[in-house]
């Protein structure tokens, strides 16, 4: 499985928690250098003057340096090498002709090179926590670095101690390699991070301690010379299961400690002639070679098993995390989500789908469509699924499902799910319940119809008021100029009173459809800026609404609600003309009024007016559609999506404000609506 965990850059130091600084680690490295030499000499693996007495510190220092920033590594290594040289001089009284200094220096260089390789190949997980990291560690740090550097220090030992080169190089190379294999994995672990160490592993504290104790006891019994039968039973048959226990249950951290325990006990006992590797006839050199071969095999096998297990555990944890993320998105999604096989059986569905169908998940999984939906609804969905299977691509449908209180209007996208060979295996769906939105849209359309009727009534009342004015004025003239009989005068008086009452009614209708009393100078740019959040909410997520306002401080005589309704209707119309992603631009600018004098005229408030331009990059309109655009009840929208009143109402409002509206459009390139409104008062700066 691919690892999606973040990785540190190759030249970045490994992550460390806040803790002791470089001085603490330098002192610790110096103490380790001195202690490791004294311990190795006390165990006396071979002659005291041999180079194998120096090897434990190299692996310890390499693992320690791999956990420190690069800026601290040189002087920590220098401190450790100095402590090693001083300790050797105090114990032996000489530096073996300078070869001790060269050996300690090359050991520090080897530790630095190994730490550099470890840091470059180490990922964000546990050190040596994958097969790739273990292979890089064994090939580079355990083999290549000692192979490249030990010949230099071997020359110094051969010269200082008077030994043949191969006799000096071979033990030094083997010791340095095994030092890296035994001690570096132990030292590079973060032992203060108990919780992090056990995050992926099932073993608790008690089990870990019990496993380590069993390995220590078995090592002591096996190498302690307690009996040949125990040695032959423990080393090949019991030691490996215990190391596998540590690798499979506790991870690389505790596996490294177990290897160190086995190596320490084995070296201690073998140097004293105990255990199966103590060879009396071949001398100490033969004992060391056999022990080193066994320990190398044990260490590599245990580390390999731990790395494979760690890699598996991390891959499983990553897979579990990705599954949890997918389930969280799936279950928390507001749209209804479902997955069916080609037979129509529900395999997966989320909480929203449960609520939509009105049944718990347990009663839906494994069921077919006809067991869940009514026959008519099931036939509709099956037909849509079949179209998706035939086309082999996602399709969107407007589906009306259910009856009565359970009736729902759904906008559903159905899509095929294909395998690696391109064969369709499943059909998925993403459905959004638009029942409430459709109901609100119908209420809005009814409100627009009522508003339109009010505006029509106001327009008729205006024309009727003009006719009534003629009648009322004519009656008044007759009353003043003609002397009529009493009965005729009373008839004229009744006509005048009726005309006044009718004129009063028409004025009320006019005020209902045209609330001029609320109109006042309105700064258009500022009003449109306040309207921007609503315009962006009105547009879909894939449509950008851009405002470009070029008439600062310019006002028109209008009510804020009238201007807002004009712009909202135009933006809504532009949104419906865009399929998918697009852009709507709202622009304001000053322009010369058609038919007015040029811009040099003195009556700027009359000759100039404000233009509000709404442009979209939608489907556009043909000339036939453009010619009928502002007619009442004309619409190109299907079903209940359009009433044909939006643009007609907009044109009425614009005319009531004394302005004009025009539209231009090109099929496939979009449309532009231009609203011209008279400027209120003189322009700023005119």
């Amino acid at each position: 499985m691919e690892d999606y965990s973040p990785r540190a850059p190759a030249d970045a130091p490994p992550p460390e928690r806040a803790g002791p600084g470089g001085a603490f680690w330098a002192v610790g490295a110096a103490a380790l250098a001195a202690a490791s030499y004294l311990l190795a000499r006390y165990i006396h693996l071979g002659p005291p003057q041999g180079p194998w007495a120096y090897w434990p510190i190299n692996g310890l220092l390499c693992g320690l340096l791999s956990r420190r920033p690069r800026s601290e590594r040189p002087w920590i290594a220098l401190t450790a090498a100095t402590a090693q040289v001083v300790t050797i001089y105090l114990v032996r009284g000489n530096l073996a002709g300078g070869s001790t200094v060269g050996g300690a220096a090359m050991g520090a260089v080897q530790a630095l090179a190994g730490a550099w390789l470890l840091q470059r190949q180490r990922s964000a997980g546990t050190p040596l926590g994958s097969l790739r990291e273990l292979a890089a560690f064994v090939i580079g740090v355990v083999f290549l670095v000692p192979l490249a550097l030990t010949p230099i220090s071997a020359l110094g030992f051969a010269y200082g101690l008077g030994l043949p080169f191969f006799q000096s190089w071979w033990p030094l190379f083997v010791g340095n390699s095994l030092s890296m294999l035994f001690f570096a994995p132990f030292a590079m672990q973060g032992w203060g991070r108990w919780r992090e160490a056990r995050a992926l592993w099932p073993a608790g504290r008690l089990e870990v301690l019990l496993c380590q104790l069993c390995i220590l006891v078995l090592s002591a019994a096996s190498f302690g010379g307690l009996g040949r039968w125990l040695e032959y039973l423990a080393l090949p048959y019991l030691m490996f299961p215990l190391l596998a226990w540590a690798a499979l249950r506790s991870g690389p951290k505790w596996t490294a400690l177990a290897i160190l325990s086995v190596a320490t006990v084995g070296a201690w006992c073998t140097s004293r002639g105990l255990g199966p590797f103590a060879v009396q006839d071949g001398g100490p050199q033969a004992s060391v070679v056999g022990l080193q071969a066994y320990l190398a095999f044990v260490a590599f096998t245990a580390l390999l098993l731990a790395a494979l297990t760690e890699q598996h555990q991390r891959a499983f944890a990553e897979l579990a995390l990705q599954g949890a993320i997918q389930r969280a998105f799936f279950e928390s999604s507001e749209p209804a989500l479902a997955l069916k096989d080609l037979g129509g059986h529900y395999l997966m569905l989320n909480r929203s789908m449960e609520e939509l169908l009105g049944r718990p998940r347990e009663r839906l999984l494994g069921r077919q469509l006809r067991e869940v939906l009514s026959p008519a609804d099931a036939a509709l969905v099956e037909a849509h699924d079949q179209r998706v299977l035939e086309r082999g691509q996602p399709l969107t449908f407007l589906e009306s499902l259910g009856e009565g209180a359970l009736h729902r209007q759904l906008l559903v996208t159905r899509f095929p799910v294909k395998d690696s060979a391109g064969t369709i295996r499943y059909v998925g769906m993403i459905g959004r319940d638009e029942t409430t939105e459709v109901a609100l849209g119908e209420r809005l359309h009814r409100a627009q119809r009522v508003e339109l009727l009010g505006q029509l009534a106001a327009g008729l009342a205006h024309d009727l008021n003009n006719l009534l004015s003629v009648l009322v004025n004519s009656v008044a003239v007759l009353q003043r100029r003609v002397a009529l009989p009493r009965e005729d005068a009373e008839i004229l008086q009744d006509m005048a009173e009726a005309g006044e009452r009718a004129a009063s009614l028409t004025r009320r209708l006019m005020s209902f459809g045209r609330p001029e009393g609320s109109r006042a100078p309105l700064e258009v740019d500022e009003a449109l800026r306040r309207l921007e959040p609503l315009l962006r909410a009105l547009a879909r997520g894939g449509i950008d609404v851009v405002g470009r306002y070029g008439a600062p401080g310019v006002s028109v005589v209008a009510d804020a609600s009238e201007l807002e309704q004009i712009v909202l209707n135009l933006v809504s119309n532009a949104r419906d003309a865009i399929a998918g992603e697009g852009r709507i631009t709202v622009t304001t600018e000053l322009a010369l009024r058609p038919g007015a004098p040029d811009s040099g005229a003195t009556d700027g408030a009359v000759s100039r007016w404000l233009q509000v331009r709404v442009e979209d990059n939608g489907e556009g309109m043909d000339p036939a559609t453009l010619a009928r655009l502002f007619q009442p009840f004309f619409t190109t929208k299907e079903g209940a999506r359009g009433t044909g009143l939006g643009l007609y109402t907009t044109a009425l409002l614009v005319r009531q404000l004394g302005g004009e509206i025009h539209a231009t459009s090109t099929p496939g390139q979009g449309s532009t609506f231009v609203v011209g409104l008279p400027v209120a008062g003189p322009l700023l700066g005119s």
Side-chain angles (χ1 to χ4, degrees), residues 499-522:
E500 289 293 338
R501 287 196 296 271
S504 176
L505 290 175
T506 57
R507 284 193 295 271
R508 292 175 61 185
L509 287 174
M510 290 168 61
S511 65
F512 171 76
R514 183 178 177 180
E516 294 181 355
S518 61
R519 292 175 182 167
L522 176 68

Side-chain angles (χ1 to χ4, degrees), residues 466-529:
N466 293 336
L467 297 175
L468 288 173
S469 297
V470 175
L471 294 176
V472 171
N473 292 334
S474 298
V475 170
V477 170
L478 289 175
Q479 286 178 329
R480 289 195 303 269
R481 295 183 178 180
V482 180
L484 297 175
R486 179 180 178 183
E487 293 182 358
D488 294 339
E490 290 178 353
I491 292 174
L492 285 177
Q493 184 62 33
D494 291 341
M495 292 175 61
E497 292 177 356
E500 289 293 338
R501 287 196 296 271
S504 176
L505 290 175
T506 57
R507 284 193 295 271
R508 292 175 61 185
L509 287 174
M510 290 168 61
S511 65
F512 171 76
R514 183 178 177 180
E516 294 181 355
S518 61
R519 292 175 182 167
L522 176 68
E523 188 176 342
V524 176
D525 284 9
E526 184 62 29
L528 293 182
R529 285 192 180 94

Side-chain angles (χ1 to χ4, degrees), residues 369-392:
L369 288 173
R370 297 186 178 275
E371 300 178 70
V372 176
L373 303 176
S374 66
D377 293 344
L380 175 65
V381 173
E382 288 174 352
H384 289 171
D385 287 344
Q386 186 61 35
R387 288 183 59 186
V388 171
L389 294 175
E390 293 173 356
R391 299 283 294 274

Side-chain angles (χ1 to χ4, degrees), residues 4-219:
Y4 294 97
S5 59
R7 294 180 179 268
D11 58 347
E16 285 290 333
R17 287 183 175 179
F24 171 85
W25 292 94
V27 172
L32 283 175
S36 64
Y37 170 76
L38 293 175
L39 181 62
R41 183 179 179 84
Y42 180 69
I43 295 177
H44 53 80
L45 294 177
Q49 70 275 17
W52 41 82
Y54 305 98
W55 59 267
I57 184 56
N58 295 339
L60 291 172
L61 187 59
C62 176
L64 185 150
L65 292 178
S66 69
R67 300 178 55 221
R68 303 307 304 162
R70 286 191 302 175
S71 59
E72 297 180 3
R73 294 176 189 172
W75 60 279
I76 292 177
L78 179 61
T79 304
T82 303
Q84 184 180 16
V85 170
V86 171
T87 304
I88 294 174
Y89 179 76
L90 293 176
V91 171
R92 296 179 51 180
N94 63 78
L95 296 178
S99 60
T100 299
V101 177
M106 292 309 300
V109 172
Q110 175 179 308
L112 286 169
W116 179 77
L117 290 176
L118 286 173
Q119 180 249 319
R120 284 190 61 85
Q121 58 87 28
R122 177 176 170 181
S123 68
T126 304
L128 309 184
S130 68
L131 188 60
R132 178 185 62 83
E133 293 183 4
L134 179 62
F137 168 71
V138 172
I139 296 173
V141 179
V142 175
F143 180 73
L144 293 181
V145 170
L147 183 65
L149 298 179
T150 50
I152 301 175
S153 55
L155 288 173
F157 280 107
Y159 174 79
L161 300 177
L163 299 174
F165 173 79
F166 184 80
Q167 186 178 351
S168 180
W169 170 78
W170 174 251
L172 189 62
F173 168 71
V174 174
N176 285 337
S177 296
L178 295 181
S179 173
M180 294 295 184
L181 184 62
F182 297 158
F183 293 95
F186 171 79
M188 72 175 68
Q189 306 291 335
W191 288 95
R193 306 176 184 177
W194 170 263
R195 291 186 178 180
E196 294 181 12
R198 60 175 298 191
L200 298 174
W201 302 97
R205 293 175 184 264
L206 182 60
E207 182 179 349
V208 168
L209 295 178
L210 179 61
C211 178
Q212 296 297 319
L213 181 61
C214 290
I215 291 175
L216 188 61
V217 171
L218 184 62
S219 299

